[in-house]
Amino acid sequence: MPLIFLGFILVFLLLVVAFVMALFSEKQEKASFFGGLESVLFLVMMPKNDSKQEEQVKKEEKVLISQMEQVLANFLYLKKPKMFQDPPSIALEIASQIGGNDISFYVCVPKYLETAFEKYVQGVYPRAIVDKIPSDYTVFEPQGQTAGAYLSLSENALFPLNTYQKLEKDPLSTITNNLSKIAANEGAAVQLVIRPLSGSVLRKKGEKVLGKIREGKHVRSAISEASQGSFMKIMGEIFQSPPPKDAKKEMEALKPKEQGMDQAAYDAIQAKIQKQPFETNIRLIASAASQERADDILAHLIGAFSQFSLGSVNSLDPKIASGKKLKKFIYEFSFRIFNPKQANVLNIEELASMYHFPTQYIETPYIKAAKSSVTPPPTDLPETGINLIGKVAFRGDEKKIYFASKSDRRRHLYVVGQTGTGKSGFLENMINQDIANGEGVAVIDPHGDLVDHTLANIPKNRIDDVVLFEPFDLERPCGLNMLEYETPEQKDFAVQEMIAIFYKLFPPEIIGPMFEHYMRNAMLALMANQEDPGTLVEIPKMFTDPEFLKQRLVYVKDPIVRNFWTKEWAQTTGNTRSDMLGYVVSKVGRFIENDMMRNIIGQGKSGFDLSKIMDEGKIFLANLSKGQTGEVNSSLLGLILVSKMQMAAMKRARIKEDDRRDFYLYVDEFQNFTTDSISTILSEARKYRLSLTLAHQYIPQLTDQIRDSVFGNVGTVGSFRVGATDAEFLEKQFEPGFSRFDLVNLDNFNLIIKMMLNNRTSTPFKMATYPPSEGKLQVVQALKKISKLQYSKPRAVVEKEIARRSFVAAPALPQAPPSPMK
């Protein structure tokens, strides 16, 4: 009877235990599932740098890989789990997902580590990009087949695997090379789910084994004996105080006995237990259109992990998942669930060998890398300013970037970048803000879009300030006379600039000193009458109309100029006179023979006064669209405008510095509109309160003198994406934070900038620009009409004036001799 009773009790206890275990298992599975949802996925991208010498690679590569151990060390002390909940785990993944060839590195952490994880990574890799991924990726082909396997240690966990310290090359390259060979409609991934294991557990067991080996035991026997023992004995070892130690005897005991000693195994175990351990699930998965192809991809991935077995006692055996086990395997992979039955004990060095962020020395194609480095923005960025030019995001923090003061703007701004990278939008934003701030602005645009977008954003209170110059408007041409001046200094400057403009427009070999000599004297003679200085259209008339020349010489006071016309030119006859006439006139003729250009440069008075525009803070917009104006014509007009702007700025020398109003000149594709005198305007314009913003596409567009002037005088330098040649040159401007690689890999609407902040040059940093406002495009044509009514003239009026000014009296026809009287 007592035996039957005891049997019932035993059965009851077994049922209770089974129920509790089932309940625990169910809650554990739910906790694992919902724990997977309570996690955050990050994509980690590393910047690429230039390759270095082979011996430097071998030396530095292992150091870079070892840095991953520092990142992993942050996961050694995760929060303790709640009841019926798995300990928290971390998922480390390398994936080539469906729909592309990119190989991406992901890390999934518990939600409470969301903020800390980015700091973990960037504390070790300051230039890494850590992006939170809002939705998970997939490696599964919807209509395809899947193959999966997990890897398990073949020997006791005390035996280490081969690590990066012993391997000749980065073990990651073998893994990623296999991932790079799959097609866009295929997917594959390596997943390591890790959770920390108490270091003392592995270390105590390892030290016990080492003790047995030192006693002369065979390695396997030592491990077997160290693993045996009663529960009470183990508990006694934990809770019983150790006996007093004799230091000398302890040191003797630690020395291994020579007889029967496996030194290699001893050293291997000792190396394994010296570093912190993790329990690790190693999962490999592949998806493709056919089962055969999925199995093939999986086999190659398994083969990539064989490198960790070479020359080591331990190895990784693949366990292929199939049938129902495959479904469970995919479920655990998808929700990143740790499976204790598949756990391997790996130390932090072994783990870093299998998963670390790619170094710049890995040559595997398609690894998703940071296109450019990220550096911290300057600490002294102003909170507000006169121009909001962009924003910078750094380690989860976003800051707005401002020009702090007008003083910083007066040191000028230079921007370079390939077409389509965002230069125009960047300029638009600054122009719109200057206009909204009530500042005087001039825009010289060789394309036309910048002017149209600016007009679309003109505030109502500034409509009357708009002065528009569109040379291709044939019905209402606006005059532009380079030969106008107010002071003797302006007169000399205008002549020199006009000569420089012709050197800019024509090859130097067809200009030469004789052209310069004749042109200079022609312009000086025309400009002698300040009230009516003449125009470029009248230059041929100086050489072909003696009566007109006589009228102009009345006003010439300069004896050198008078001597040229009355003696040198008067005594030039025959073929020499004819040759020089054709040589000089042909250069000007290409402009004055064009109806559009003649009606602009042939007007005696310009339609606008740039000095007045600057002093009154108006808005001057020059639409020099090459498509509608012609490339050479656009260049000539732009060169004249920039020169006249410089003349207007220098005129301010007569105004007290405090009374000079700030004026902002924007020149897109400025290499077409500037002569070597740009060095003067860059160095001196600041004191005249003329602030330049210069933009173009690539540095070889500039002459050596203009390039040196820009980089020697401009306070703020910004670069959107550029080509390799430009990047090599600009790298010196943005060192040490950015390399040439960063400059050629910038995303659109991003630039690297070194700017003036409170009259000091900042450290370089990367900045994203804001998209410009579209404005009201429907008002553009109306604003153009308003401006042209005020600053342009009807075509008929202009042509009548030019005909009068350029009229050449025809010689009297010879009369027939009288007939003889009969």
Side-chain angles (χ1 to χ4, degrees):
M1 189 71 179
L3 291 173
I4 296 173
F5 179 73
L6 288 173
F8 276 117
I9 291 176
L10 185 59
V11 170
F12 175 75
L13 288 175
L14 289 172
L15 288 172
V16 170
V17 169
F19 174 77
V20 171
M21 288 182 68
L23 180 65
F24 177 76
S25 177
E26 183 183 354
K27 292 201 171 193
Q28 190 179 41
E29 188 171 341
K30 287 183 178 179
S32 295
F33 173 75
F34 288 108
L37 298 180
E38 286 297 312
S39 59
V40 184
L41 183 64
F42 289 95
L43 170 66
V44 180
M45 295 178 289
M46 304 296 291
K48 286 187 176 180
N49 291 326
D50 296 328
S51 299
K52 298 187 177 181
Q53 298 298 322
E54 188 174 347
E55 51 271 12
Q56 289 179 304
V57 172
K58 289 180 180 177
K59 181 182 178 182
E60 294 183 12
E61 193 168 38
K62 294 187 187 299
V63 174
L64 291 174
I65 297 172
S66 71
Q67 291 177 338
M68 190 65 196
E69 294 185 32
Q70 299 177 47
V71 177
L72 295 172
N74 290 293
F75 303 134
L76 287 168
Y77 306 100
L78 299 177
K79 280 185 179 179
K80 291 183 178 180
K82 297 178 182 178
M83 187 175 291
F84 302 120
Q85 189 176 24
D86 274 344
S89 57
I90 307 293
L92 312 170
E93 297 169 357
I94 310 171
S96 178
Q97 57 208 66
I98 292 291
N101 294 106
D102 285 345
I103 301 170
S104 303
F105 285 70
Y106 295 99
V107 179
C108 186
V109 301
K111 194 168 182 63
Y112 75 88
L113 286 179
E114 179 177 349
T115 305
F117 174 69
E118 190 172 2
K119 295 176 182 177
Y120 291 167
V121 175
Q122 291 178 328
V124 180
Y125 303 98
R127 301 177 71 190
I129 305 287
V130 183
D131 283 343
K132 180 181 174 182
I133 305 300
S135 58
D136 213 338
Y137 68 92
T138 181
V139 296
F140 299 108
E141 169 62 39
Q143 307 300 324
Q145 303 296 318
T146 302
Y150 67 90
L151 304 181
S152 181
L153 289 172
S154 62
E155 301 288 346
N156 190 284
L158 286 172
F159 291 116
L161 292 166
N162 211 354
T163 70
Y164 68 89
Q165 294 287 10
K166 295 180 180 178
L167 291 167
E168 279 294 317
K169 65 175 184 177
D170 187 346
L172 185 65
S173 63
T174 306
I175 298 170
T176 53
N177 280 337
N178 280 285
L179 288 172
S180 71
K181 294 173 182 176
I182 66 175
N185 63 341
E186 299 170 341
V190 174
Q191 183 186 76
L192 282 72
V193 184
I194 65 171
R195 64 186 189 189
L197 180 68
S198 173
S200 61
V201 174
L202 185 68
R203 187 169 57 254
K204 284 182 179 179
K205 185 177 179 181
E207 287 173 350
K208 190 179 292 186
V209 171
L210 293 176
K212 298 283 184 186
I213 296 174
R214 287 194 296 270
E215 292 173 2
K217 301 282 186 182
H218 187 273
V219 174
R220 297 188 187 280
S221 298
I223 291 176
S224 178
E225 288 183 23
S227 302
Q228 293 175 356
S230 67
F231 174 77
M232 293 305 294
K233 183 180 178 183
I234 295 171
M235 294 300 292
E237 288 179 358
I238 294 174
F239 292 105
Q240 188 177 2
S241 299
K245 295 180 180 179
D246 185 313
K248 187 174 181 181
K249 288 182 179 180
E250 186 178 0
M251 292 300 295
E252 289 294 327
L254 289 173
K255 293 180 180 179
K257 295 181 179 180
E258 298 299 329
Q259 294 180 348
M261 167 76 178
D262 188 341
Q263 185 66 47
Y266 184 93
D267 293 341
I269 293 172
Q270 194 171 46
K272 176 73 178 256
I273 65 175
Q274 281 180 350
K275 292 194 174 183
Q276 304 95 326
F278 282 90
E279 288 185 288
T280 308
N281 288 165
I282 307 172
R283 298 188 181 115
L284 311 177
I285 201 159
S287 179
S290 67
Q291 189 65 52
E292 183 182 4
R293 175 57 180 156
D295 291 340
D296 184 52
I297 295 171
L298 180 64
H300 282 90
L301 282 178
I302 291 171
F305 279 80
S306 64
Q307 62 186 315
F308 301 111
S309 308
L310 297 174
S312 65
V313 179
N314 220 333
S315 63
L316 291 167
D317 288 346
K319 310 292 184 183
I320 306 296
S322 59
K324 290 182 179 180
K325 289 184 178 180
L326 179 60
K327 290 183 179 179
K328 185 180 179 184
F329 181 86
I330 294 172
Y331 173 82
E332 289 177 340
F333 169 86
S334 300
F335 291 101
R336 301 177 174 92
I337 297 170
F338 185 88
N339 187 336
K341 294 179 181 178
Q342 300 172 5
N344 303 290
V345 177
L346 304 178
N347 71 13
I348 205 167
E349 183 180 311
E350 293 170 318
L351 195 55
S353 300
M354 296 180 191
Y355 184 97
H356 56 268
F357 302 132
T359 70
Q360 63 261 39
Y361 307 117
I362 286 185
E363 297 180 356
T364 304
Y366 312 126
I367 289 180
K368 196 165 189 176
K371 289 187 175 180
S372 60
S373 300
V374 175
T375 61
T379 55
D380 54 347
L381 283 176
E383 296 295 326
T384 58
I386 59 170
N387 294 99
L388 173 62
I389 61 172
K391 59 186 175 182
V392 58
F394 184 74
R395 298 186 180 179
D397 234 0
E398 184 173 290
K399 291 186 178 180
K400 294 181 177 180
I401 309 299
Y402 292 90
F403 267 114
S405 64
K406 292 182 178 180
S407 177
D408 291 340
R409 290 289 305 276
R410 290 173 197 148
R411 295 294 303 273
H412 314 305
L413 166 62
Y414 167 79
V415 180
V416 63
Q418 294 174 340
T419 181
T421 54
K423 293 192 309 298
S424 296
F426 176 70
L427 297 180
E428 280 180 42
N429 269 330
M430 291 192 64
I431 293 166
N432 293 340
Q433 289 180 64
D434 285 337
I435 291 173
N437 293 340
E439 304 290 354
V441 174
V443 179
I444 298 179
D445 176 18
H447 306 296
D449 294 339
L450 187 57
V451 164
D452 285 348
H453 292 161
T454 301
L455 285 168
N457 287 277
I458 297 290
K460 288 183 179 179
N461 64 322
R462 302 216 60 188
I463 289 175
D464 292 336
D465 289 340
V466 175
V467 180
L468 179 66
F469 179 63
E470 282 190 333
F472 51 83
D473 186 347
L474 302 180
E475 298 308 313
R476 291 196 70 88
C478 182
L480 179 62
N481 187 5
M482 182 63 182
L483 304 187
E484 286 180 304
Y485 68 96
E486 293 186 24
T487 66
E489 294 80 14
Q490 286 186 345
K491 177 182 176 182
D492 293 337
F493 180 80
V495 171
Q496 292 298 332
E497 275 297 282
M498 205 63 235
I499 298 295
I501 286 171
F502 277 97
Y503 272 109
K504 177 92 175 181
L505 295 175
F506 297 96
E509 60 271 15
I510 69 168
I511 299 297
M514 291 304 295
F515 170 82
E516 183 177 340
H517 179 56
Y518 279 65
M519 271 294 290
R520 180 181 289 107
N521 280 282
M523 288 188 289
L524 288 172
L526 285 170
M527 297 169 76
N529 182 0
Q530 189 172 350
E531 298 300 320
D532 182 16
T535 68
L536 294 178
V537 171
E538 293 161 54
I539 287 178
K541 195 175 179 181
M542 291 289 293
F543 295 97
T544 58
D545 188 344
E547 187 60 32
F548 179 77
L549 174 61
K550 184 178 179 181
Q551 293 173 4
R552 284 292 174 177
L553 286 177
V554 171
Y555 300 97
V556 176
K557 308 297 182 186
D558 188 325
I560 303 298
V561 178
R562 287 190 64 86
N563 187 66
F564 170 82
W565 291 106
T566 57
K567 294 184 179 179
E568 184 175 340
W569 177 247
Q571 294 174 10
T572 303
T573 58
N575 291 336
T576 303
R577 187 183 185 98
S578 177
D579 291 344
M580 289 311 303
L581 180 61
Y583 183 60
V584 174
V585 173
S586 62
K587 309 301 182 299
V588 185
R590 68 178 301 169
F591 300 110
I592 64 177
E593 290 165 7
N594 179 290
D595 288 349
M596 177 190 72
M597 291 297 291
R598 183 170 63 245
N599 288 346
I600 294 168
I601 63 176
Q603 295 187 43
K605 294 290 182 182
S606 296
F608 47 83
D609 183 344
L610 286 175
S611 293
K612 189 176 180 181
I613 287 172
M614 289 178 66
D615 294 339
E616 295 180 1
K618 292 188 178 294
I619 304 165
F620 178 74
L621 306 175
N623 182 352
L624 305 181
S625 170
K626 294 178 183 178
Q628 300 181 78
T629 307
E631 188 167 352
V632 177
N633 294 337
S634 174
S635 294
L636 174 66
L637 296 173
L639 286 160
I640 292 174
L641 285 171
V642 172
S643 296
K644 288 181 76 67
M645 195 71 70
Q646 188 172 351
M647 289 167 60
M650 291 189 298
K651 182 185 173 184
R652 288 181 159 196
R654 300 182 178 186
I655 305 173
K656 290 182 180 179
E657 188 166 349
D658 292 340
D659 295 336
R660 297 169 191 167
R661 187 169 180 173
D662 282 278
F663 192 82
Y664 301 95
L665 171 61
Y666 293 83
V667 189
D668 194 9
E669 303 299 338
F670 82 100
Q671 78 283 351
N672 293 322
F673 307 129
T674 52
T675 63
D676 289 344
S677 67
I678 190 69
S679 57
T680 304
I681 194 170
L682 285 171
S683 60
E684 297 184 6
R686 180 168 59 93
K687 61 186 177 185
Y688 299 127
R689 303 289 173 90
L690 174 62
S691 303
L692 275 68
T693 298
L694 307 174
H696 72 128
Q697 294 180 14
Y698 53 94
I699 293 172
Q701 292 173 317
L702 310 179
T703 65
D704 290 348
Q705 185 172 340
I706 292 177
R707 182 197 63 205
D708 295 343
S709 298
V710 167
F711 288 100
N713 290 290
V714 171
T716 299
V717 177
S719 173
F720 288 86
R721 186 174 62 252
V722 293
T725 303
D726 288 352
E728 188 173 353
F729 177 83
L730 289 167
E731 184 178 33
K732 298 172 185 176
Q733 297 290 325
F734 302 115
E735 287 179 331
F738 298 94
S739 68
R740 67 188 73 180
F741 175 85
D742 300 316
L743 291 163
V744 300
N745 286 283
L746 280 168
D747 286 324
N748 288 345
F749 314 111
N750 283 264
L751 74 158
I752 295 170
I753 189 168
K754 180 176 66 176
M755 64 186 298
M756 294 299 298
L757 293 175
N758 297 314
N759 292 313
R760 294 193 304 271
T761 304
S762 75
T763 55
F765 60 96
K766 188 170 80 169
M767 178 185 80
T769 62
Y770 290 103
S773 168
E774 287 188 7
K776 298 178 180 179
L777 294 173
Q778 63 270 23
V779 305
V780 171
Q781 293 305 319
L783 289 175
K784 288 183 177 183
K785 288 180 180 179
I786 292 171
S787 176
K788 289 176 182 179
L789 285 172
Q790 189 171 357
Y791 298 101
S792 302
K793 296 178 182 179
R795 178 176 181 173
V797 174
V798 172
E799 289 181 342
K800 184 177 180 180
E801 178 192 346
I802 292 175
R804 177 184 59 81
R805 294 177 64 87
S806 62
F807 175 74
V808 179
L813 293 173
Q815 294 183 358
S819 56
M821 294 183 65
K822 293 183 181 178

